[in-house]
Amino acid sequence: DVAADLPAKRVVDLPVELDDDMGRGIREAERELARKLLERFDRAKGGKLGRELTDESIIRMISAQELEESNAQSGTNVFTMVRRIGQAKAGLAADYAAQLAHSVGKVVFFAKHIDVMDRAEALFAERGLKTVAIRGDQTATFRQTQIDAFNQDPGVSIAVCSLTAAGVGVNLQAASDVVLAELSWTDAEQTQAIDRVHRIGQEEPVTAWRIVAAQTIDAKIAELIDRKAGLAGRALDGAEARPDDADSVQLEAIMHVLRTAIN
């Protein structure tokens, strides 16, 4: 019933090329991770495990080990790569949001990391755009003043929001355009962000512009999020889930890096 009262919603991917030094460093980091995973695979394949397990089982085992290590320590891993991609996309995403603000009106800009939000706010200030911010360290009272200013002050062009801090309980329906500067690890987090705009009272179709770094793991993560969103929809319809449906996007992204290196 609620969905029937809401306007249309769409998610549009905007591929961007990271062709500067940072982009080249990111691609080299991906190659480094692939080499590390491939070395582990070759050792396992040539040992006892190679006689006992299928290649796919070894890939899953090595990827799960890598994910566990990534959660416990720094260095080149899937989390540090994704953060670096977010930093590299920050200026491009902010530039697109600024163009939208000048052409269509108010925009909500979502990012995961503080440094990406900081860079975006600096660019918006350079372009003469007034902003508000919704971050995790704000009091409830101050946050509400930011929300009210965005929704009620025609001079405020962009709300710069943390994906985690502004995911729920925030109404930003004065805008109908959302820029997702960094990808979430789950479709639920992405949907919650978009639904700050796509909610009861919204009269315009909502477009979420998802900034995706082409030729990097970013593109695979976007694909995995969308696939799992489809699986979630089918699960609600009672469809039977496959055994790998429960795998996290993080694990599947690492498995993708290893499979690509093997092939």
Side-chain angles (χ1 to χ4, degrees):
D1 292 339
V2 171
D5 293 330
L6 292 173
K9 175 177 69 173
R10 63 176 181 156
V11 178
V12 179
D13 283 351
L14 290 179
V16 295
E17 296 288 342
L18 304 181
D19 54 5
D20 56 5
D21 288 343
M22 183 174 286
R24 287 186 284 274
I26 289 166
R27 286 188 286 275
E28 176 54 36
E30 288 195 26
R31 289 190 289 268
E32 180 184 335
L33 175 60
R35 286 192 292 267
K36 179 175 68 172
L37 294 172
L38 185 58
E39 288 174 2
R40 291 180 178 179
F41 176 84
D42 288 340
R43 285 197 301 270
K45 182 71 174 173
K48 182 180 178 181
L49 287 176
R51 297 189 295 274
E52 297 178 348
L53 300 176
T54 64
D55 286 2
E56 188 62 23
S57 295
I58 296 173
I59 289 171
R60 179 177 294 276
M61 178 191 69
I62 290 171
S63 299
Q65 179 186 4
E66 171 63 24
L67 180 58
E68 184 177 349
E69 292 175 359
S70 297
N71 280 312
Q73 60 191 31
S74 58
T76 300
N77 60 54
V78 68
F79 297 112
T80 58
M81 282 195 305
V82 167
R83 177 158 192 174
R84 288 175 65 182
I85 290 170
Q87 293 167 337
K89 293 189 297 181
L92 297 168
D95 181 69
Y96 187 73
Q99 292 180 48
L100 280 176
H102 283 302
S103 61
V104 302
K106 291 178 182 283
V107 176
V108 180
F109 180 97
F110 276 101
K112 290 174 65 173
H113 297 103
I114 294 298
D115 51 359
V116 175
M117 295 176 66
D118 288 344
R119 184 172 178 189
E121 287 183 327
L123 185 144
F124 297 145
E126 290 174 4
R127 302 287 178 86
L129 294 167
K130 187 176 179 181
T131 64
V132 296
I134 298 176
R135 303 184 179 221
D137 58 354
Q138 297 169 334
T139 65
T141 300
F142 180 76
R143 177 176 299 182
Q144 191 58 51
T145 65
Q146 299 289 284
I147 294 169
D148 291 343
F150 182 73
N151 285 325
Q152 300 169 15
D153 185 348
V156 175
S157 299
I158 301 177
V160 180
C161 303
S162 162
L163 265 171
T164 52
V168 294
V170 175
N171 181 346
L172 300 169
Q173 66 185 44
S176 58
D177 284 272
V178 176
V179 172
L180 301 169
E182 296 182 271
L183 299 185
S184 306
W185 283 116
T186 66
D187 173 68
E189 188 174 66
Q190 173 180 284
T191 299
Q192 286 174 352
I194 298 169
D195 285 352
R196 299 314 92 214
V197 169
H198 188 249
R199 54 194 298 119
I200 294 295
Q202 176 61 260
E203 299 178 353
E204 301 293 330
V206 170
T207 302
W209 306 93
R210 192 167 61 172
I211 312 300
V212 179
Q215 301 181 53
T216 73
I217 198 172
D218 211 38
K220 184 61 180 181
I221 291 170
E223 176 189 323
L224 289 169
I225 291 169
D226 291 345
R227 195 193 79 199
K228 288 186 177 293
L231 290 171
R234 290 200 293 278
L236 290 174
D237 292 334
E240 184 176 353
R242 301 196 314 271
D244 63 345
D245 286 355
D247 290 341
S248 68
V249 170
Q250 296 98 318
L251 177 61
E252 290 206 42
I254 296 170
M255 291 172 67
H256 166 73
V257 171
L258 179 51
R259 288 193 191 102
T260 302
I262 293 170
N263 297 327

